[in-house]
Amino acid sequence: MDVVNQTFGIKAEPEDENDLESQSGSETSEKRRREKIRLASRMSRAKKRREFLTLKEANEKLRDEGERLKMKIVQLHNQLENKLSSAELEVIAENAVLKIQLENHKAFFRAFMELTNGTPSTRTAQHDLCRQGAVSAQDYVHGLIAQSQLNWERLKPPVDQKFAEH
């Protein structure tokens, strides 16, 4: 406490105690009260100054540490970019495409196996299924022909062409 008092010029005791005792009681008590208030004010200001300096120093340390961490992030990012050459990036992209293709292939085989396991095993059911498929295919072809006839024109054979007679 004495070091703080000396550093900030705070005096804990009045300079001349004899002067205070020589004055009358009310003046002495008033001076003592004022001196205590001044002392308390000086101590309070010194405490606030110490807290301010401590906080300022801590703030500077945190700011320096933040800058150091930002520099470290940039450095690590650059190292990562240097390690990943374009060939490595192409391999990574190709692996991703192959994984997607593999998943699609697995999904196709799962669906195919479900279809295969769902086919009927009796001869009559197989014939019914084939007949239904044939009828469906026939209807589909008839639909295509019907839609395409809208745009057809009559064929006009060339005049100089001779046809074989039967």
Side-chain angles (χ1 to χ4, degrees):
M1 190 64 142
D2 290 336
V3 174
V4 172
N5 293 341
Q6 291 173 357
T7 304
F8 294 107
I10 300 171
K11 298 177 184 174
E13 298 291 327
E15 290 182 14
D16 193 7
E17 292 181 24
N18 293 335
D19 287 342
L20 291 177
E21 292 175 359
S22 64
Q23 296 176 359
S24 67
S26 64
E27 289 178 10
T28 306
S29 64
E30 182 65 25
K31 284 186 177 184
R32 283 184 186 164
R33 188 180 68 79
R34 287 182 185 168
E35 189 59 36
K36 284 182 182 179
I37 291 172
R38 280 189 288 245
L39 178 63
S41 294
R42 279 183 256 148
M43 295 295 281
S44 175
R45 285 192 299 270
K47 182 179 176 184
K48 286 181 183 179
R49 252 186 252 125
R50 284 191 310 269
E51 288 175 354
F52 175 77
L53 293 174
T54 304
L55 291 174
K56 187 176 179 182
E57 185 178 313
N59 192 12
E60 287 174 4
K61 284 181 183 178
L62 289 173
R63 189 176 295 126
D64 291 342
E65 185 177 354
E67 290 298 321
R68 185 182 55 79
L69 290 174
K70 285 179 185 177
M71 294 298 289
K72 183 71 172 177
I73 289 171
V74 169
Q75 179 187 8
L76 290 173
H77 183 69
N78 290 338
Q79 285 178 354
L80 181 63
E81 285 180 353
N82 291 339
K83 287 185 179 184
L84 290 178
S85 66
S86 61
E88 290 174 339
L89 292 176
E90 288 175 11
V91 169
I92 291 171
E94 187 177 345
N95 282 344
V97 170
L98 289 174
K99 285 179 184 179
I100 292 170
Q101 288 177 349
L102 183 63
E103 287 300 318
N104 290 341
H105 188 68
K106 285 180 181 179
F108 169 76
F109 270 107
R110 261 187 259 117
F112 182 75
M113 292 308 292
E114 287 176 12
L115 253 171
T116 305
N117 293 337
T119 58
S121 57
T122 64
R123 191 66 140 166
T124 315
Q126 288 176 346
H127 285 294
D128 286 342
L129 188 62
C130 288
R131 189 174 33 80
Q132 288 173 359
V135 169
S136 174
Q138 187 179 15
D139 290 342
Y140 183 73
V141 170
H142 284 141
L144 288 175
I145 291 172
Q147 286 179 349
S148 68
Q149 284 181 350
L150 297 175
N151 298 329
W152 285 15
E153 295 179 12
R154 281 191 164 241
L155 181 64
K156 298 177 184 175
V159 180
D160 59 344
Q161 188 77 22
K162 292 186 179 182
F163 292 102
E165 295 182 24
H166 295 315

